Amino acid sequence: MGSKATSLPSPTYIFRFAARPSTQCLYASQCQSRQFTVSLPRQRLTRNRRKFYQWLNGVGQNFKQPREGRTNYLSGYGADGAQRGGPSVGKEAEGTEEEQGDGEEAAAQVEGEGEGEGKEDAKADEALKPDEMERAEAETEEKERKASLREERVMERDKNKKPQSTRDLRPFPLNQHFLSQAVLSEEFREEIYMDIVESKKTVRSVSSDWGVSMERVGAVVRMKQMERDWLRQGKPLAVPYSRAVLSMLPITPLVDKAKEQREADKAAKNARDGNSGDKRASRESQPHEPINDLPVHPHTTQQLFYPVSESRAFTRADAGRAFHPKLRPTDERIPHPELIALEQLKKTTGNLAVFKQGVIDGDLASALAKANEQKDIEKQTVKTYAGHKWDFKFHDISVEKVGKTGRSRAGVGWRYGMPHEDRKPGQVKIPVRVES
Amino acid sequence: MVRKKNFHGLKKIRIRQSWNKFNLYNLSRLRQPFTLPRTFFQQKWTAKAETRAYHGEQIRERQWTRMFNRYIPAVVPMDAKELAEDDGSAQGAGRGSGKDVDPKASMDKAKGKDGKIDKRKMKAGPKPNEITPYMSMTFYPTEKRLDTAIFRALFASSARQARQFCVHGFVKVNGNRMRYPGYLLNPGDMFSVDPDMVMFATGDKKGSGGAAASAVTSDPDADESAVDAKAADEDTIFDEAWEDEEDNATESQEAKESDREPAKRSEQEDLNETSAEELKAWKKELLALRKEIKQTATETVGLKAKRKQELRALYKQIRSQNLTRIARQSLHEYKSTFQTIKNLITNPSKGFDKSTPSTPEPITSKTPTEPDYDDPILSNKRRLERKNPHLAALKAWPNKPDPTKPYATPWRPRDFMSAFAFIPRYLEVNQNVCSAVYLRDPVARPGLAEVPSPFHPETNQLAFQWYLRRR
């Protein structure tokens, strides 16, 4: 790198102007360069430009191609272009790990190595003939047993490995508040899809199981379904693009739940035995994202002086009411209030499985009720007449929908004193919503 | 709005929403401005100018000032376990800010087994570095825009390009074409970009050197990568075939030739050796091909203009061929090109002549290396794939050369992409179908701001104050 850093920009750039092909021209004024000139046109290679090429040929070369198995941001390198805190142990990595609050960034891990195995496997499976199946099965079993053994060993080894440092996750060196956060791996997305579609789990339970927000679960399923539809229709997918992008980003890998349980049991056993067991949870078991985010309500952003007697137990719910009488307590406003009840149940000797099923049932029942309600409303307000080709639908319209000012978007029809302005210049006609 | 002349200028550093190498250089030089001798107004002015050059520079200032919102969305992550244990009354106990803690008792509590004091245990309340960076969220309303979201989802190499994709009709929102780059996404909206355009925008340039790049293509085929490396120059070959018949004995072609027959020979030698009979046969074949092309172009019903153009170009090419100097090489090339076009005609959605994705072609040669069992995540993956044919199909998806594409094939990411590659949490992206869902508005949370901004928090704060002034 050092020798490269001092090299000058490529000669092709310098002599670009000289190499311009000569053209025959009728008028001198049209000629850009005269054929008989021997001196080069004035160089536009300013100091800035020279420095840029110097950087490009030196430090800049690091960023040209993605780094194998790691992110490749500016913060990952020093001013001299040397990699900061490699994948091995570094003081920097250790420090940041201590600082990290939720540890989810630390859980991020770039996936990129060894993608080939899967393909080979799938192909091999397909290529097998029935008589070979038995032998192959035995082989795979043997392989799996070996793999699980190796897993154990790797887990031991990984305990000493440091996670990727926050510095590696910072695309903008100046802004320490922005981190490149992990995305779901392909397998993870597939697993979520299968949970919802095949296992018929609710979005809520999948969300709390995997530590992925409910919105994300919905989005994953929607797009996975789209992927399958495309395959069925024979539309080409952008798989090479997907592979490349996912290899550049930090990834939340899919972890085996059973294996995780084994790990937890082992840790618990260690703790009971009094060993100084590793308290740090394995980095794979970290949730993808915090799922119980409480939105900061604008009412709560002001400072408030609210006198109460010292003897009174002033709880969260009271504090909420002090800000606004209608502000619901935190325990209800978070996306997963059932998790609180679950934790409380854990302390008593309640049946967790029954509770979980109850939550799921409640979820389904409420969703069903909501859907039915929607249907009922539609039945009442929409009158349908079957036509020859189409059905004619008549919606009930309320005059009140125009609102107090008569300008509400929900209002329908011509309104007195309220001209249509859509033909006026400067009217913004970008739609505000697109129905799916 | 027209792009500024010095969009990526080196003199005055302006960071842009783009993957340009000039932009990367500027980003590496960006420093916090020296504010000591400057008035507050000057500082705010500079901060505004700098930040606006990045955040929605295509949005007019008046438009942006209308979008600006001084209420910034934020969240606080809650722990269900803590909420279950504590109803919060302890925090308001005593005189309103929690009861005093005996320092000695807390010290004892923080003492470990070996008598050392763990300082982390002593601290109560949020960590000092975990402020909620509201000010880094100044430009969150611009992130709702469709063009910005497309850029953030890594579907375009710059916000300008994303904007162009919208205007040119390559973008759909919830399945409907959306031509307004200024459409403000609502939570739950799914936007999709034409995969070909995405691969064009993020892929390497056609005709750029493939030797170095093929090493980094994330092609899953270890055994096929060698073939791919040779084929990486396929697109250049194709171009050259148009331009110069005689000069097409490029290195990669020679390599191809050597693949097909054991004796390696150049085209010139080929010419010398070919007998008159052979030449005659080739001539006949070429004429037949020409006739077939003409027939296809004229007689196919509902032929697309693009295909017609391609056929015509091929026909012209063959016609200009000197019939006395045909090489087997060029004949073969004509045929393969014609086949590609024909495939496109019969099956426009499939693209080039690859086998259907759901049935990956059987493997021909074994990989010599034993798969890596050492990685627990990987072995888990393998088990999954065995169960899930869809995942296996994705893994086996080919990345083949295809001269009809406007980007370098086999597809590889463009240079300097990795330095800019990140996907913010408010988007969920599925790269396979080039679609993304806008989950929610970006929020600030303790220690993290979700708006990707290259500027120092102080600069962002100054910009916020600039716009606050007018509210």
Side-chain angles (χ1 to χ4, degrees):
Chain A
M1 205 59 69
S3 62
K4 262 192 178 173
T6 51
S7 68
L8 280 166
S10 61
T12 49
Y13 173 75
I14 299 176
F15 297 112
R16 208 178 62 188
F17 296 104
R20 187 185 291 157
S22 57
T23 48
Q24 288 232 321
C25 39
L26 297 173
Y27 306 103
S29 59
Q30 280 180 356
C31 273
Q32 291 299 309
S33 62
R34 288 171 294 177
Q35 284 177 18
F36 50 81
T37 182
V38 281
S39 62
L40 289 170
R42 216 181 140 199
Q43 290 300 320
R44 298 286 312 276
L45 192 67
T46 54
R47 196 166 132 264
N48 279 333
R49 217 150 244 273
R50 202 173 56 241
K51 277 191 159 178
F52 164 66
Y53 280 106
Q54 224 169 50
W55 177 86
L56 195 66
N57 293 328
V59 181
Q61 285 299 312
N62 289 330
F63 307 105
K64 206 167 177 189
Q65 301 297 339
R67 228 175 353 168
E68 197 55 51
R70 293 184 82 185
T71 57
N72 196 19
Y73 303 132
L74 274 175
S75 317
Y77 298 89
D80 54 345
Q83 272 190 30
R84 276 175 178 155
S88 54
V89 189
K91 211 176 178 188
E92 184 59 45
E94 201 169 9
T96 46
E97 193 213 334
E98 299 283 316
E99 281 163 22
Q100 259 169 20
D102 43 9
E104 54 157 335
E105 280 75 48
Q109 179 198 342
V110 169
E111 168 192 78
E113 58 270 2
E115 288 204 303
E117 281 81 48
K119 181 180 180 184
E120 180 230 4
D121 231 53
K123 279 185 174 176
D125 273 4
E126 212 150 283
L128 282 178
K129 290 190 180 73
D131 55 321
E132 286 174 14
M133 283 297 252
E134 275 181 24
R135 196 161 49 83
E137 259 176 36
E139 261 178 34
T140 46
E141 266 176 31
E142 174 67 13
K143 266 185 190 173
E144 267 182 21
R145 199 181 56 78
K146 268 187 195 168
S148 64
L149 273 176
R150 283 190 179 121
E151 260 168 44
E152 308 277 331
R153 252 183 290 145
V154 169
M155 291 310 287
E156 287 299 314
R157 196 190 64 202
D158 272 8
K159 274 177 189 167
N160 305 322
K161 231 192 222 172
K162 293 288 181 289
Q164 209 170 31
S165 76
T166 31
R167 187 169 257 168
D168 273 343
L169 300 174
R170 204 179 289 155
F172 305 120
L174 281 188
N175 187 358
Q176 82 266 25
H177 293 318
F178 181 73
L179 291 179
S180 166
Q181 288 170 292
V183 296
L184 298 173
S185 71
E186 194 69 63
E187 292 78 23
F188 209 142
R189 289 180 206 163
E190 196 60 34
E191 188 69 20
I192 287 173
Y193 176 84
M194 293 310 248
D195 273 1
I196 296 280
V197 177
E198 300 283 311
S199 311
K200 300 262 189 281
K201 287 185 186 170
T202 57
V203 174
R204 183 173 293 277
S205 62
V206 171
S207 166
S208 56
D209 281 356
W210 289 113
V212 175
S213 75
M214 288 193 277
E215 296 93 354
R216 198 177 300 280
V217 170
V220 164
V221 173
R222 188 178 176 186
M223 289 189 291
K224 268 284 163 193
Q225 188 55 54
M226 195 173 162
E227 208 176 284
R228 281 169 160 78
D229 290 346
W230 280 29
L231 268 182
R232 212 173 302 126
Q233 293 161 13
K235 270 191 186 176
L237 305 181
V239 178
Y241 163 73
S242 174
R243 276 184 211 132
V245 168
L246 290 181
S247 74
M248 289 176 202
L249 297 173
I251 294 280
T252 308
L254 178 67
V255 271
D256 200 346
K257 283 271 160 140
K259 200 188 75 209
E260 202 179 300
Q261 192 55 46
R262 252 184 285 142
E263 281 291 308
D265 291 347
K266 212 193 282 173
K269 197 183 163 219
N270 273 347
R272 251 181 285 131
D273 293 351
N275 292 347
S276 59
D278 188 23
K279 275 180 190 166
R280 186 170 32 141
S282 68
R283 62 182 179 175
E284 287 101 41
S285 64
Q286 300 283 355
H288 176 65
E289 59 189 329
I291 52 170
N292 257 339
D293 278 342
L294 176 76
V296 175
H297 196 279
H299 281 311
T300 62
T301 50
Q302 281 116 15
Q303 202 172 20
L304 185 72
F305 290 96
Y306 189 77
V308 279
S309 72
E310 208 171 309
S311 58
R312 184 182 154 190
F314 194 71
T315 61
R316 266 197 304 276
D318 294 329
R321 245 173 275 134
F323 279 119
H324 193 276
K326 281 186 178 172
L327 192 65
R328 288 181 300 143
T330 309
D331 307 35
E332 289 173 23
R333 287 177 60 224
I334 55 173
H336 286 281
E338 84 278 2
L339 290 185
I340 299 176
L342 192 70
E343 288 296 334
Q344 279 164 348
L345 204 66
K346 270 183 191 169
K347 275 188 237 164
T348 63
T349 50
N351 192 338
L352 286 184
V354 171
F355 175 77
K356 275 183 182 171
Q357 194 54 45
V359 168
I360 290 170
D361 289 346
D363 232 17
L364 287 175
S366 68
L368 213 64
K370 229 181 198 176
N372 283 336
E373 197 183 347
Q374 192 68 34
K375 258 186 195 166
D376 286 347
I377 289 170
E378 219 164 80
K379 235 183 219 171
Q380 282 169 13
T381 55
V382 183
K383 278 179 193 133
T384 313
Y385 298 95
H388 177 59
K389 270 187 179 173
W390 303 283
D391 288 353
F392 293 93
K393 284 187 171 182
F394 292 92
H395 293 255
D396 276 352
I397 298 299
S398 169
V399 196
E400 305 299 323
K401 274 192 175 172
V402 294
K404 270 181 191 168
T405 54
R407 282 161 189 268
S408 164
R409 276 173 183 274
V412 174
W414 176 261
R415 276 162 267 164
Y416 184 73
M418 172 61 188
H420 281 311
E421 293 189 328
D422 53 349
R423 294 297 186 93
K424 265 191 179 175
Q427 290 293 318
V428 182
K429 279 183 266 180
I430 304 175
V432 288
R433 73 179 66 81
V434 181
E435 301 300 336
S436 49
Chain B
M1 232 165 124
V2 184
R3 205 178 98 154
K4 290 228 169 56
K5 212 172 144 197
N6 288 337
F7 194 67
H8 291 302
L10 294 173
K11 207 175 207 177
K12 192 193 265 179
I13 297 179
R14 288 280 178 258
I15 312 298
R16 309 286 184 180
Q17 288 184 352
S18 132
W19 302 347
N20 195 297
K21 58 188 170 191
F22 281 85
N23 197 35
L24 186 65
Y25 175 57
N26 280 343
L27 191 59
S28 75
R29 288 191 301 161
L30 187 68
R31 299 282 175 273
Q32 209 187 334
F34 184 58
T35 50
L36 204 62
R38 312 193 76 205
T39 65
F40 190 39
F41 182 87
Q42 285 169 337
Q43 289 176 37
K44 285 195 288 187
W45 177 278
T46 318
K48 175 214 75 169
E50 269 186 23
T51 49
R52 282 285 285 126
Y54 179 80
H55 294 284
E57 49 81 31
Q58 77 276 28
I59 310 169
R60 291 191 303 276
E61 188 64 10
R62 177 67 65 83
Q63 233 175 319
W64 157 245
T65 44
R66 259 191 245 125
M67 283 165 79
F68 174 77
N69 189 356
R70 68 198 188 94
Y71 292 105
I72 286 165
V75 295
V76 184
M78 286 291 163
D79 186 9
K81 206 171 179 183
E82 272 177 29
L83 289 180
E85 279 170 1
D86 180 24
D87 64 353
S89 55
Q91 280 178 38
R95 295 172 73 180
S97 53
K99 278 186 175 160
D100 286 345
V101 187
D102 182 12
K104 197 164 173 280
S106 71
M107 199 110 88
D108 287 342
K109 208 177 167 190
K111 251 181 202 170
K113 277 177 189 166
D114 47 353
K116 274 184 187 171
I117 293 164
D118 191 353
K119 275 187 183 170
R120 278 177 302 170
K121 277 187 187 168
M122 277 188 69
K123 272 182 209 158
K127 286 167 195 167
N129 61 342
E130 293 223 306
I131 54 152
T132 306
Y134 280 98
M135 292 297 101
S136 299
M137 298 280 296
T138 307
F139 291 94
Y140 91 90
T142 63
E143 302 296 317
K144 291 193 203 181
R145 281 175 61 99
L146 181 58
D147 54 354
T148 313
I150 290 170
F151 172 68
R152 295 293 186 213
L154 306 180
F155 293 155
S157 64
S158 70
R160 288 259 172 191
Q161 193 178 34
R163 186 188 170 81
Q164 198 183 40
F165 283 171
C166 293
V167 174
H168 289 194
F170 297 121
V171 179
K172 284 178 177 177
V173 173
N174 289 337
N176 301 324
R177 179 146 295 136
M178 174 57 73
R179 284 184 188 272
Y180 299 101
Y183 172 71
L184 295 182
L185 290 161
N186 299 312
D189 272 352
M190 179 174 76
F191 55 94
S192 333
V193 187
D194 185 354
D196 245 6
M197 295 317 287
V198 170
M199 289 176 87
F200 166 69
T202 58
D204 210 354
K205 256 186 283 175
K206 198 172 184 175
S208 63
S214 65
V216 291
T217 43
S218 44
D219 195 31
D221 261 11
D223 50 332
E224 269 181 26
S225 67
V227 184
D228 284 345
K230 270 179 214 153
D233 281 344
E234 194 83 340
D235 41 332
T236 39
I237 297 163
F238 197 76
D239 291 341
E240 275 164 28
W242 290 144
E243 286 161 16
D244 201 346
E245 271 309 306
E246 289 171 337
D247 194 37
N248 60 4
T250 54
E251 218 175 52
S252 49
Q253 266 178 331
E254 273 179 89
K256 263 175 87 180
E257 191 77 6
S258 65
D259 272 358
R260 232 173 281 124
E261 43 193 339
K264 185 185 175 184
R265 43 188 182 176
S266 73
E267 195 187 328
Q268 200 56 43
E269 282 169 78
D270 223 14
L271 263 177
N272 296 339
E273 281 173 32
T274 46
S275 63
E277 282 164 38
E278 259 185 321
L279 209 65
K280 217 174 186 177
W282 290 348
K283 196 173 160 183
K284 215 172 173 181
E285 240 178 292
L286 197 68
L287 286 173
L289 185 66
R290 223 169 82 176
K291 205 174 168 188
E292 204 183 341
I293 290 169
K294 199 174 183 185
Q295 224 170 12
T296 320
T298 50
E299 288 172 14
T300 312
V301 183
L303 190 63
K304 283 204 170 170
K306 182 93 187 165
R307 299 289 96 76
K308 217 174 210 173
Q309 274 172 12
E310 282 164 8
L311 284 173
R312 211 177 292 149
L314 185 64
Y315 182 78
K316 259 188 185 169
Q317 186 68 34
I318 298 176
R319 209 175 53 179
S320 65
Q321 167 83 45
N322 189 347
L323 287 179
T324 55
R325 300 192 61 192
I326 315 165
R328 189 186 312 165
Q329 185 75 42
S330 47
L331 185 64
H332 181 79
E333 225 154 66
Y334 291 144
K335 274 188 176 169
S336 68
T337 315
F338 181 52
Q339 194 55 44
T340 318
I341 298 172
K342 243 172 48 182
N343 282 342
L344 277 173
I345 291 166
T346 50
N347 209 345
S349 60
K350 281 249 172 74
F352 47 95
D353 54 337
K354 63 172 178 237
S355 57
T356 44
S358 47
T359 53
E361 67 247 292
I363 203 156
T364 45
S365 60
K366 273 185 207 161
T367 34
T369 49
E370 168 107 343
D372 183 18
Y373 290 112
D374 275 6
D375 198 333
I377 300 156
L378 253 184
S379 59
N380 191 22
K381 255 191 224 170
R382 291 159 47 77
R383 241 167 277 141
L384 262 171
E385 270 161 33
R386 202 166 297 139
K387 275 191 285 178
N388 191 335
H390 180 73
L391 209 53
L394 288 185
K395 287 287 167 193
W397 196 282
N399 186 9
K400 277 185 183 169
D402 177 15
T404 57
K405 296 290 185 204
Y407 42 80
T409 48
W411 190 89
R412 50 181 182 264
R414 55 183 289 160
D415 290 348
F416 302 103
M417 177 181 174
S418 57
F420 298 102
F422 56 82
I423 294 176
R425 276 278 161 88
Y426 54 85
L427 294 175
E428 172 58 32
V429 186
N430 187 324
Q431 286 85 6
N432 289 324
V433 286
C434 294
S435 302
V437 173
Y438 181 79
L439 299 176
R440 52 180 167 79
D441 291 340
V443 290
R445 60 176 74 243
L448 278 179
E450 286 190 338
V451 173
S453 175
F455 306 103
H456 193 272
E458 254 179 44
T459 313
N460 270 319
Q461 182 169 6
L462 286 165
F464 183 81
Q465 274 156 351
W466 169 270
Y467 290 108
L468 209 53
R469 188 190 63 157
R470 302 185 167 184
R471 298 276 129 182

